[in-house]
Amino acid sequence: QDLFSPTPRTAMPPHDPPLPGTPDYGDESKPRRPLLSATQPMTPRDRRVDLRVKPTQLYGYDLFQDVSLAHARRHAPIKFFHAPELPVPWDLSVASFRAENRDWRSVTAEQWKEEMERIHSPLSSVLYLRPVCAAVTIGTLQACLHGFTAKGGGQVEATEMFPPQTVPLHGAPDRLASTPRRMLPPRVRVRPGVHPLDAMAELEDRHSGTNLALLHFVPEGTARLAPDPALGPKLAALTLRTSFMMNALASEKHLHVAPSQVLDKQGGVLCSSNVSLIREGSDQGFAWRDRVTRFDIFTIAVPRHVHRDQWQQYRWNTDKALVKERVNLAVSCAAKRGVQVLAMAPIGCGEGCDHPPLEIADIIHQTVKANARGSLEEVVVASDDPNHDDAWFAEFETVLLNGRAPPVKFGDPTYPASPATKLIPYLKYGPRKKIPEPITPGRELRRTFL
């Protein structure tokens, strides 16, 4: 019978030892002794006889059915039958990657380059970007489960990529990490035109053996941690190039609640450890890296859109205090957990969020200055967003390194207004005319008593 059937199974596995008084198991036509029911009382003889069989059959079909359900929920090993053919089919989805029997790891970097060029050609549709990114993501997930062959020819086993683990952090740990504390503030740099993952990989080659981390932000109300692959190779680089998608799929199992519950309502930080960078960028055809870069990801949630004033500041102090509190919590947790190099994108500038960039630079400047006594050695702010050009980053870098002075507002007592400003209402509206008050008739006098 079916494993999910509520009735007990009446057949025992052929490899179990035969019970006394039962026919031979070799003959399938002969009846077999049924298992004991959970409601049927057990006699001493039944208990003695059942000790000779599997422990899962001691207490009847209930325990046997529970064990069978547990085995049925496990993911069966996938056998790759053939290599995929390009172009990618339109109905390919990341949700069914465990049942995918096509080995998307075998697609070479040159083939992915041709596909990306064909997408951006005038005769192609941008809608084809979704299945291509889904195929790259499935190949990354298959590599996390079964390993991959690097572009240099070396074989990278799946055991070298530790499964990521996500833990919630609602406050910085009191105990400092084993790394020595620094008395000097960390060095802050800006890398325009470079993705934070590439900037972090370059720093790992320069400082071998350092602890790396990435400060990742998501808009409030986001149901998933990893970006959607349909966003493209730049916005969804964490999904296409790292093992962060494996962590996002099991985040609710690790946290026992939805990630939005921790990020939005509780205002905490999610620390995902042992994330592996295994692919290059889209300009290199998503080639497999010869060296696996491991780092941690600290995820925070920020509001999507905030109100600004005419001086490009937060209109409400509560919005700025919320962003500053969450950024400070993430940086302090990273500094006290032994992180030496921290990379981030301009928080709240892009990816569905719209925050004043100079205010964000000032918040990062104050946060790094406040956590100077931790283990941080270098903080890198990088972005390859085409909207963040050199002029945008030049002003951003100035505020990031020196902080932002309060802007001079109209009517500031430090700078007295010119006498000519008093004539502005007169020149614009003319002399103010005095409006006569309306005359109301008086109440009639009456001779009344009481």
Side-chain angles (χ1 to χ4, degrees), residues 194-196 213-217 327 331 342-347 364 368 379-383 400:
V194 180
H195 196 273
L214 176 69
L215 181 54
H216 174 57
F217 73 93
V327 173
V331 175
L342 180 64
M344 69 180 75
I347 300 173
I364 298 175
V368 173
V379 177
V380 181
V381 181
S383 175
L400 181 65

Side-chain angles (χ1 to χ4, degrees), residues 87-93 125-131:
V88 183
W90 286 87
D91 57 347
L92 187 63
S93 176
S125 174
V126 185
L127 298 177
Y128 185 62
L129 182 64
R130 186 195 62 82

Side-chain angles (χ1 to χ4, degrees), residues 76-354:
I78 299 298
K79 296 181 180 179
F80 302 113
F81 295 102
H82 56 276
E85 297 180 358
L86 298 180
V88 183
W90 286 87
D91 57 347
L92 187 63
S93 176
V94 183
S96 59
F97 82 97
R98 292 189 181 273
E100 182 67 29
N101 56 5
R102 289 169 289 190
D103 191 1
W104 292 100
R105 302 172 300 169
S106 60
V107 181
T108 61
E110 289 73 14
Q111 293 176 337
W112 285 130
K113 284 183 180 180
E114 294 178 0
E115 289 296 312
M116 297 302 295
E117 292 177 359
R118 191 164 65 88
I119 290 174
H120 298 290
S121 63
L123 300 179
S124 179
S125 174
V126 185
L127 298 177
Y128 185 62
L129 182 64
R130 186 195 62 82
V132 170
C133 293
V136 176
T137 304
I138 293 177
T140 304
L141 296 175
Q142 291 174 350
C144 296
L145 296 176
H146 309 285
F148 61 93
T149 303
K151 60 182 180 181
Q155 183 69 24
V156 179
E157 301 295 337
T159 55
E160 300 184 20
M161 295 173 288
F162 303 102
Q165 181 74 22
T166 301
V167 293
L169 301 176
H170 299 283
D174 298 332
R175 180 179 58 85
L176 292 176
S178 57
T179 55
R181 298 171 60 183
R182 289 175 52 87
M183 303 305 297
L184 298 177
R187 184 176 60 175
V188 181
R189 294 196 307 158
V190 172
R191 293 295 308 276
V194 180
H195 196 273
L197 292 177
D198 297 329
M200 189 171 50
E202 294 176 2
L203 293 175
E204 188 212 14
D205 297 338
R206 186 182 309 170
H207 308 282
S208 179
T210 57
N211 298 329
L212 308 176
L214 176 69
L215 181 54
H216 174 57
F217 73 93
V218 295
E220 286 187 349
T222 304
R224 63 180 70 184
L225 292 180
D228 190 0
L231 295 176
K234 289 188 177 182
L235 297 179
L238 278 177
T239 304
L240 302 178
R241 302 173 54 187
T242 68
S243 60
F244 189 54
M245 189 65 178
M246 295 292 296
N247 175 272
L249 295 175
S251 59
E252 293 192 9
K253 182 177 67 175
H254 297 165
L255 302 173
H256 303 288
V257 293
S260 58
Q261 180 75 18
V262 180
L263 296 176
D264 301 347
K265 297 184 179 181
Q266 302 177 7
V269 180
L270 294 181
C271 177
S272 304
S273 58
N274 295 327
V275 180
S276 302
L277 177 61
I278 57 179
R279 280 186 183 269
E280 301 288 352
S282 59
D283 53 345
Q284 302 183 22
F286 302 105
W288 301 106
R289 291 171 53 89
D290 295 329
R291 181 179 177 181
V292 177
T293 301
R294 297 185 182 89
F295 59 98
D296 299 340
I297 295 181
F298 295 89
T299 307
I300 61 174
V302 296
R304 292 180 179 269
H305 302 281
V306 294
H307 295 279
R308 305 185 188 185
D309 56 10
Q310 54 183 333
W311 298 280
Q312 294 300 315
Q313 290 182 328
Y314 287 100
R315 192 176 191 87
W316 311 111
N317 294 331
T318 54
D319 295 339
K320 182 177 181 179
L322 176 65
V323 176
K324 186 176 181 179
E325 178 185 0
R326 295 182 178 179
V327 173
N328 187 22
L329 177 60
V331 175
S332 60
C333 290
K336 294 186 178 182
R337 288 175 67 92
V339 175
Q340 298 173 332
V341 176
L342 180 64
M344 69 180 75
I347 300 173
C349 303
E351 300 186 16
C353 298
D354 185 17

